[in-house]
Amino acid sequence: RATRQLSRQALADALDKTNTTLGASGNVGVATFNLRTKRANLPAALDLLRQVLREPALPAEELDILKRQVVSGLEENRTQPTALVDNFIARKLRPYPQDDVRYEPTLEESIERCRAVTLEQVKALYEQYLGAARGELVIIGDFDEPAVTTAMSQMLADWSARQPYERIQVSAKPLQSDDQSINTPDRANAQYGAALAYAISDTDADYPALVMVNRILGGSGTSRLWTRVRETEGLSYGVRSAFAASALDPYADLTISAIVNPANMPKLKTTMQEELAKLTDKGVSPDELKRAQVAWLDQQTVARSQDAGLAVTLARDLYAGRTIRHEAELEEKIRGLTADQVTAAAKKYLDPSHLVIVTAGDFGAKAK
């Protein structure tokens, strides 16, 4: 929001002048910066990034603005079905104690934590933990590689965190089956959420088959859940599933979400159970798998054609100590899957005895 040389407005003006966009985001143990500019403006853009990284002003008034914005959003989320379901699922997937950095707070706890943050804490975090000893750099486009490498080396030279680096590890255990309902009066829509957790990484032998299980179940606009729930039954305004696995730790999860008229939630839950049972009992056909394979592979090709998506992939592979060859190897494994292998993965991993379900909405509404 500002550097020692540039106020927030001056920094914004400098970015505009060089036709540069600079974004920053963070999570537990990670700080990410994304910069986009033209070749001719890259030296100036990199200098602005240098100031942000090495010379942040950390103004108190900007922290106050950010805190108000975050608290306002969290307070609104306390009665939002989607936010409540997402928080419930996240807490189930990350059951760490309250004093653990991996702990997932409730929305109320997040509000309290945000309000309690002080400028001194922010400065201490920056001074103690931020540095260039560990990290990944990805640059894609038209640029002078030696010049950029030199500039980045100078920018990051002698920038060491006072605290030693230690990667924050995660792990998963099968969840205990649960079915909870959260009442949110006067909300027009309700939210359905479900989750399964697995102690596998993305190098596990079953990972490619699980990618296809997710794709077929709810990972696309032609998936089984979309076809049955949205198009055939007309129950949901939107339904999908998602599957993700860690590159370094035994952690993976499969989540399912849907937006529905509150009065139709019982029917939606029954339909979801039927589709999961159908996938595990009857499996997938060769033709269905072939369509899913082609669609997924086409999606990967499109993602690689976009600089932003490719940068994320390269950075992720660098972090895991591998190259883009890993993506090619995964695609080969996807191409080589058989319907029997995908069916076996569905039977093994879509276990209803470990499925956590949560719904949120105003369930006093009448069906339409």
Side-chain angles (χ1 to χ4, degrees), residues 181-196:
S181 179
I182 303 170
N183 189 40
T184 57
D186 302 321
R187 290 296 179 179
N189 296 327
Q191 183 75 28
Y192 169 96
L196 289 159

Side-chain angles (χ1 to χ4, degrees), residues 209-222:
L210 276 168
V211 171
M212 286 297 97
V213 168
N214 172 67
R215 182 83 189 189
I216 291 167
L217 176 65
S220 73
T222 58

Side-chain angles (χ1 to χ4, degrees), residues 142-343:
D142 178 17
F143 62 96
D144 183 339
E145 184 175 348
V148 171
T149 302
T150 298
M152 292 301 299
S153 297
Q154 293 173 348
M155 178 194 306
L156 302 176
D158 302 322
W159 190 29
S160 299
R162 297 179 184 177
Q163 297 293 335
Y165 172 83
E166 183 177 348
R167 186 175 66 82
I168 298 171
Q169 301 181 33
V170 294
S171 61
K173 294 180 180 179
L175 302 175
Q176 291 187 348
S177 179
D178 197 3
D179 190 342
Q180 297 288 333
S181 179
I182 303 170
N183 189 40
T184 57
D186 302 321
R187 290 296 179 179
N189 296 327
Q191 183 75 28
Y192 169 96
L196 289 159
Y198 314 112
I200 65 172
S201 71
D202 71 1
T203 58
D204 190 278
D206 288 335
Y207 175 77
L210 276 168
V211 171
M212 286 297 97
V213 168
N214 172 67
R215 182 83 189 189
I216 291 167
L217 176 65
S220 73
T222 58
S223 67
R224 290 190 181 191
L225 289 181
W226 180 269
T227 302
R228 171 83 187 278
V229 175
R230 168 68 175 169
E231 296 183 358
T232 303
E233 303 286 350
L235 291 174
S236 176
Y237 311 115
V239 58
R240 68 185 298 269
S241 66
F243 172 68
S246 169
L248 297 172
D249 296 321
Y251 179 91
D253 61 55
L254 187 147
T255 57
I256 305 171
S257 62
I259 304 172
V260 65
N261 182 308
N264 291 331
M265 184 62 79
K267 188 174 182 180
L268 173 73
K269 291 175 69 175
T270 299
T271 301
M272 290 289 195
Q273 293 171 343
E274 290 174 353
E275 287 302 312
L276 285 169
K278 190 183 301 181
L279 185 53
T280 56
D281 294 343
K282 298 182 179 179
V284 304
S285 70
D287 287 344
E288 183 178 34
L289 173 59
K290 183 63 177 180
R291 291 193 297 271
Q293 288 168 317
V294 170
W296 185 86
L297 291 165
D298 286 347
Q299 187 179 49
Q300 304 309 110
T301 300
V302 172
R304 282 195 300 273
S305 70
Q306 300 170 347
D307 289 352
L310 181 57
V312 170
T313 298
L314 291 171
R316 183 182 65 229
D317 284 340
L318 282 171
Y319 179 71
R322 57 201 187 194
T323 69
I324 194 71
R325 182 180 295 278
H326 170 80
E327 310 304 321
E329 292 170 349
L330 174 59
E331 291 183 10
E332 276 305 305
K333 292 175 183 177
I334 295 290
R335 287 190 185 94
L337 287 170
T338 66
D340 286 344
Q341 288 174 315
V342 176
T343 297

Side-chain angles (χ1 to χ4, degrees), residues 65-132:
I65 292 172
L66 284 170
K67 287 173 62 175
R68 287 196 297 270
Q69 290 174 344
V70 172
V71 168
S72 176
L74 288 169
E75 288 180 333
E76 172 66 17
N77 283 344
R78 286 194 298 184
T79 59
Q80 288 285 357
T82 299
L84 289 166
V85 165
D86 288 348
N87 182 250
F88 183 94
I89 294 292
R91 286 173 55 79
K92 285 289 187 179
L93 291 172
R94 292 183 279 279
Y96 296 100
Q98 196 169 20
D99 60 350
D100 192 303
V101 71
R102 297 163 296 184
Y103 173 73
E104 184 70 29
T106 65
L107 295 177
E108 289 77 11
E109 288 171 337
S110 292
I111 292 172
E112 294 174 3
R113 288 181 172 204
C114 183
R115 284 175 172 160
V117 170
T118 67
L119 185 62
E120 289 70 27
Q121 289 174 323
V122 174
K123 289 180 176 179
L125 180 70
Y126 175 82
E127 293 169 357
Q128 295 289 328
Y129 288 95
L130 267 71

